[in-house]
């Protein structure tokens, strides 16, 4: 399966600031996905990032709040803008590997705490 | 609608067997996944079922019944390190997946 690296792994952020999370994959992939997992909750898809086009956002998530870049087939960034305590969450980058099925594999996650 | 249900929490004893159930409702079906997530870590892939029946993989097995919209994860010879959340997930459209809220398993000595 693909090896997915994320950074930062953890950060404490001030309210009103923005933070960019980086995701690097060890192989070329068409689609990359960004998930959020709020405390005690399950995973929610934020957006799908396809190289060469704008990201596709899920209901409840907007580009102004979560701008995404996908400059090439192995890298993506997610920015959490104008953070509030409600944005305290785990942010996970993931890819589909197709082995087996369309299995999703996750990066190590970025734990953000907004104070 | 599309939905996944799992028990919130389970407790079992080291060395025992535990079964974690998952029921799902989807408009189509393209497989079911189980993930393990230790506290403070990202989910890791455990198993994938697309046909009815039991898939065995060491101490972990996963069962699927498509007609009943039901799956379970069976953990044998429980170890303390198996204390984690177990997430059930199904694809929901192209490149989309629905995840259950997870079952938090506590293994007691």
């Amino acid at each position: 399966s693909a090896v997915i690296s994320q950074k930062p792994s953890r950060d404490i952020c001030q309210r009103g600031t923005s933070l960019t999370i980086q995701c690097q994959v060890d192989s070329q992939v068409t689609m990359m996905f960004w998930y959020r997992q709020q405390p005690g909750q399950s995973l929610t898809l934020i957006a799908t990032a396809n190289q060469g086009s704008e990201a596709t956002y899920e209901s409840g998530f907007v580009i102004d709040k979560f701008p995404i870049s996908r400059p090439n087939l192995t890298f993506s960034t997610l920015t959490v803008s104008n953070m509030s305590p409600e944005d305290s969450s785990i942010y996970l980058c993931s890819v589909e590997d197709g082995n087996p099925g369309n299995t999703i594999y996750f990066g190590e996650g970025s734990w953000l705490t907004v104070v | 609608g599309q939905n996944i249900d799992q028990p919130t929490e389970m407790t079992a004893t080291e060395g025992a067997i535990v079964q974690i159930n998952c029921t799902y409702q989807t408009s189509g079906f393209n497989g079911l996944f189980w993930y393990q997530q230790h506290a403070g870590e990202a989910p890791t892939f455990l198993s994938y079922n697309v046909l009815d029946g039991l898939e065995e993989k060491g101490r972990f097995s996963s069962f699927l019944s498509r007609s009943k919209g039901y799956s379970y994860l069976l953990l044998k010879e429980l170890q303390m390190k198996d204390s984690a959340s177990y997430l059930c997930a199904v694809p929901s459209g192209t490149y989309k997946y629905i995840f259950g809220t997870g079952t938090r398993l506590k293994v007691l000595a």
Side-chain angles (χ1 to χ4, degrees):
Chain A
S1 61
V3 176
I4 308 167
S5 304
Q6 273 185 246
K7 58 181 181 182
S9 57
R10 293 180 186 275
D11 209 338
I12 299 175
C13 309
Q14 295 295 318
R15 187 190 303 243
T17 63
S18 299
L19 182 82
T20 296
I21 303 166
Q22 298 180 8
C23 178
Q24 179 76 51
V25 187
D26 70 343
S27 58
Q28 294 185 340
V29 293
T30 305
M31 311 293 284
M32 294 176 74
F33 309 91
W34 288 98
Y35 282 83
R36 180 173 75 178
Q37 187 177 31
Q38 293 180 302
Q41 305 295 315
S42 190
L43 289 86
T44 302
L45 181 64
I46 297 172
T48 302
N50 192 4
Q51 194 266 338
S53 63
E54 280 198 4
T56 302
Y57 289 83
E58 297 301 302
S59 176
F61 298 97
V62 295
I63 188 171
D64 289 347
K65 176 68 176 177
F66 298 101
I68 288 171
S69 78
R70 184 77 202 276
N72 58 51
L73 291 173
T74 63
F75 187 78
S76 179
T77 67
L78 169 75
T79 299
V80 186
S81 303
N82 188 24
M83 285 186 282
S84 66
E86 292 72 34
D87 295 319
S88 297
S89 185
I90 308 167
Y91 293 87
L92 293 154
C93 172
S94 69
V95 302
E96 272 192 356
D97 190 289
N99 180 28
N102 293 318
T103 304
I104 298 178
Y105 293 92
F106 293 93
E108 310 100 324
S110 298
W111 267 247
L112 302 187
T113 301
V114 183
V115 298
Chain B
Q2 301 182 76
N3 192 44
I4 291 182
D5 285 314
Q6 300 180 237
T8 304
E9 201 168 287
M10 299 182 72
T11 303
T13 306
E14 197 174 16
I17 299 173
V18 70
Q19 178 175 311
I20 302 174
N21 296 325
C22 169
T23 58
Y24 63 89
Q25 292 176 312
T26 59
S27 54
F29 183 78
N30 193 25
L32 184 142
F33 300 86
W34 283 96
Y35 288 83
Q36 180 190 59
Q37 186 176 24
H38 284 101
E41 297 182 12
T44 55
F45 169 72
L46 282 180
S47 69
Y48 170 68
N49 294 69
V50 66
L51 299 176
D52 290 349
L54 189 67
E55 294 276 346
E56 299 190 66
K57 194 187 292 186
R59 293 191 298 114
F60 292 9
S61 303
S62 55
F63 172 84
L64 175 67
S65 169
R66 289 172 295 173
S67 62
K68 296 181 180 178
Y70 168 69
S71 174
Y72 67 73
L73 183 68
L74 192 70
L75 290 74
K76 304 177 186 176
E77 302 169 15
L78 279 174
Q79 302 176 9
M80 299 298 289
K81 67 179 182 179
D82 298 329
S83 293
S85 288
Y86 292 86
L87 307 172
C88 175
V90 293
S92 167
T94 305
Y95 299 119
K96 295 185 182 181
Y97 297 78
I98 298 175
F99 284 84
T101 52
T103 299
R104 191 163 55 249
L105 175 65
K106 296 181 184 177
V107 180
L108 306 177

